[in-house]
Amino acid sequence: MSCKTSSNSIVDIEKQKPYNKVPYLVARNVLKQDELEHVAGYNRHKDTPLETIQENFKKFQPKSVIFDLFPALKWIPEYPVQKNLVSDLVSGFTVAIMHIPQGMGYGLLAGVDPIVGLYMAFFPTLIYFLFGTSRHISMGTFAVISIMTSKIVATYSDPNYGNTNLNSTLDEAADNLPQYQYTPFQVATAVSMVCGFYQIIMCVLRLGILSSLLSEALVNGFTTAAAVHVFTSQLKDILGLKLPRHKGAFKVLLSLRDIFSNLPSANMYAIYISIICISFMFLMNEFVKPWVAKKCKFPIPTELMVVISFTFVSYMLNLGGSEYKVREVGKIPTGLPMPQMPPIELIKLVAVDSIAVCIVSYSVVMSMALIFAKKEYYEVRPNQELLALGLSNIFGSFFSCIPLSCSLSRSVIQYQAGGKTQLTSVFSASIILTVLLWLGPLFETLPRATLASIIIVALKGMFMQIKDLKRFLKEGILESAEWIGTFLTVIIIDIDVGLLAGVIISILALYIKGLKSYSSMLGQVPDTDIYVNLNTHKNAIQLPNIKIFRYSGSINFATCSSFKKALFDNIGVNHRLIRRASLCETQSEARGFNTDMHTLIIDLGSVAHIDMSGYRTFLEIRSEMKLIDVKVYLANASDCVYDSLTRATDLGHPSLECFSSVHDAVLFALKKLEN
């Protein structure tokens, strides 16, 4: 049903007056929706579950399934050695240099030994190399995941239980913390294993799409607030204080209270170290690195320079001795850890707490992966990423690893350094292995203030996200409510509660947006079969005796009332009068209603879904409009909406007249009027 826009138009339009005759003739019969479906050969047949399984079994190809399960088997044989090898080597070396200080710092941040951060850069990243689909993200430790893990570790572990390396380095436990007989290592690995199981279950259930529930505003506000948690947790090391740990609500506020009350006992040498480290890294990152980046791709390893320098200074001056009393990293074991499974009873304890860690780690990975995939024009498969993360976490849990995620800063550096494929992580892991086997003890005298300084400087990008609030305020009140609500809840209460609050706000925003509808009255563009909004198109003509109503949105149990109200408001009918007449089942109550309308056409072209409540609403409207001698027709239904209409009649509901287009309904109404 095309309009007459050229001499090749398939519609023969003949202008006629007056309007009580058929205004435009078409070179076919007027079609109702069921007639159109018959002519077009529409097939409503849907396979049964058994038929679907049989069809999928016929299409089953073992080779394709193996390649889908192990993406590395597909691209490794096609790897362009001459083109990518040098770039991946340089990028892998660069990322490994960043892994050493960041891994140690984030390991300490998670409440376990610093060496765990290096384990994270080796064991789970090799599994992700085999199963992951992103070519550019740097897997390993991430500040937000570390701080979330530390909360669970603080809740369920006793730092004085067992022979762990943390006995001399962990802060004193708060009096209100319950004492469980588990080491921090056991709790952290249990969280990693549970997260892995959750992610594999999500993969099997094809729930990769759930990451879309975490909107940009939510993730932005959450990570910005989480950066405040990380910053607060590092202040004690910056100031050289030894403070009790807090858990639960108001943790940030309680920690700040303790810090300010203990400022007089701060270690001035730790403060000097922090000031020097932060100043040096700031100057390098803001001025020197950008200048060097214009000259070569290889970035200056600022963090590693700081780590090596202060490890040497601390060793030479014995900063950890009785004279300076600067807290050091402490004993770092050499070699690889023996595989050990977390206690089964502990897995049950952390099951609920690990849900938030699982969702956040996956969302961060998918967000970064999609950014690079869009830049480099390749595909990232959400469900495969769930499988890769799940297997990596389960494997890593046997080797003292915390939950896996990707670092924003390392991923950007890996991309800027020229990394092309996942082989970058293999080269990086090889260098980390060297550190684990031989070089780890060299960093035992490293001041914890240095690692805290590295973490705080790395948080700059996350803190700068607060600028995005201005953009969300411009986008709308719902987006800004998501950001502000998530941000404040995370800071004031806690990270997991804030994430839950953000998800709830996000779902409510989606619900409100889904309920928000748009309605208008349509008029005809002269000499065409096109119908447009009368309010926004000044040349559109209102057809005499016919009113055409368009509704955009779903018509279901939640929107029936608003749809009906919008309809009667737009056509100018007193619904109360009509409703009273329908209840009395007589037209006498409606005699006072004066209208020249004889036909109401409801355009369903912008309606995405109709349920049985919506269908019954159409029947009510038809019955009520019949009392004032107005015919009601539906038009322009999509296939899914037409299926819903047909399904309703199959269930015994009265049928409704539905036409293939608004113009067909208009022509039919005019012809009925003539007769």
Side-chain angles (χ1 to χ4, degrees), residues 385-444:
E385 288 297 299
L386 277 172
L387 177 64
L389 275 176
L391 294 176
S392 300
N393 278 323
I394 292 175
F395 181 76
S397 68
F398 287 94
F399 296 94
S400 304
C401 292
I402 66 174
L404 183 72
S405 190
C406 73
S407 166
L408 309 183
S409 57
R410 284 199 314 271
S411 298
V412 172
I413 291 298
Q414 177 172 317
Y415 179 74
Q416 292 176 346
K420 302 294 184 182
T421 67
Q422 291 97 318
L423 275 179
T424 299
S425 61
V426 176
F427 297 141
S428 175
S430 302
I431 298 171
I432 296 298
L433 179 61
T434 304
V435 176
L436 289 171
L437 293 178
W438 296 289
L439 303 181
L442 297 178
F443 298 103
E444 290 179 356

Side-chain angles (χ1 to χ4, degrees), residues 312-346:
F312 178 74
V313 170
S314 179
Y315 175 78
M316 295 301 296
L317 300 180
N318 191 23
L319 294 180
S322 58
E323 182 178 356
Y324 300 103
K325 297 181 181 180
V326 174
R327 300 178 70 188
E328 298 176 339
V329 167
K331 183 173 177 58
I332 297 178
T334 56
L336 301 178
M338 293 296 294
Q340 184 178 2
M341 183 174 177
I344 298 296
E345 60 275 13
L346 183 55

Side-chain angles (χ1 to χ4, degrees), residues 265-282:
S265 59
N267 188 312
M268 294 305 301
Y269 298 104
I271 295 176
Y272 296 149
I273 292 172
S274 303
I275 292 174
I276 294 172
C277 290
I278 293 174
S279 301
F280 175 76
M281 287 186 289
F282 177 80

Side-chain angles (χ1 to χ4, degrees), residues 54 64 112 214 230 238 245 252 279 533 544-545 608 629:
Q54 291 173 343
S64 175
V112 292
L214 302 184
V230 176
I238 291 289
R245 293 178 296 172
V252 169
S279 301
N533 188 342
N545 309 122
D629 295 324

